[in-house]
Amino acid sequence: MQIRARMSMSADGYVTTPNGWPALTADPAFVSGSSHGIREFLADCEAALMGRTTFEPALTNSRWPWPDLDVFVLASHRPQGTPDHVTTDSDPARLLETIRAANRGGDVHLIGGPRTIATFHALGALDRLELVVLPMLFGGGMQLTPALSPEAGLTFESQRALPDGSVEIVYSCGGSRGDLPGRPASQV
């Protein structure tokens, strides 16, 4: 089992629009559940993990966003209207153990917010971070950093251009970052 975060961001580094919506929703090419490489990403996933802020809007959707996934929510309380099959817990370490105990061999899609991603990274549970960089500038919104600091130990794995003009960048999360050079690498 790997815990893999995948999130979109604008070219100027914002994971939400200035109005607080996920970056991907601002892209005219966005099609829920099918665009920006999400089908390939979800092919190996059996569960979705998220914080309450990400989860609560799903309770009013006309369609359940995770029909084929077990759903785990980090929340201080169980939101009203949460389906019985959704597991909630206020303790991230305990929720992680529940996820591991329920796992049947598939991966877990960690649906961020930056704070939730940083929380599970701090537990040593985040295996991969996948960013879909959109060809858009927002000029404001929420950023992935500083919640996930530059010292996170991300190691570049791959990149690919997606048909909609965005770029997918994949990092593994098991390393540690050394000091950045005091001058450009070409001058070292």
Side-chain angles (χ1 to χ4, degrees), residues 173-187:
C173 301
S176 62
R177 189 192 89 180
D179 291 335
L180 293 175
R183 59 180 140 177
S186 63
Q187 296 178 6

Side-chain angles (χ1 to χ4, degrees), residues 106-158:
D107 289 343
V108 176
H109 178 195
L110 174 52
I111 305 168
R115 286 185 311 225
T116 303
I117 291 172
T119 296
F120 285 92
H121 181 269
L123 289 173
L126 182 62
D127 296 297
R128 289 172 50 129
L129 174 63
E130 300 186 18
L131 299 174
V132 175
V133 182
L134 306 169
M136 310 174 89
L137 300 174
F138 293 166
M142 181 185 296
Q143 294 183 304
L144 179 59
T145 58
L148 190 62
S149 76
E151 289 78 29
L154 303 179
T155 303
F156 173 78
E157 281 192 5
S158 65

Side-chain angles (χ1 to χ4, degrees), residues 20-88:
W21 289 95
L24 202 56
T25 62
D27 189 344
F30 174 67
V31 178
S32 180
S34 65
S35 65
H36 297 83
I38 192 66
R39 284 187 183 175
E40 298 90 345
F41 175 82
L42 290 175
D44 296 326
C45 292
E46 71 176 48
L49 166 62
M50 68 206 77
R52 181 190 52 77
T53 302
T54 300
F55 174 70
E56 282 185 335
L59 296 174
T60 59
N61 276 0
S62 59
R63 125 186 126 73
W64 183 245
W66 311 284
D68 301 321
L69 300 176
D70 297 334
V71 178
F72 299 88
V73 180
L74 180 62
S76 58
H77 66 279
R78 186 175 186 86
Q80 186 173 353
T82 299
D84 291 339
H85 67 275
V86 172
T87 301
T88 62

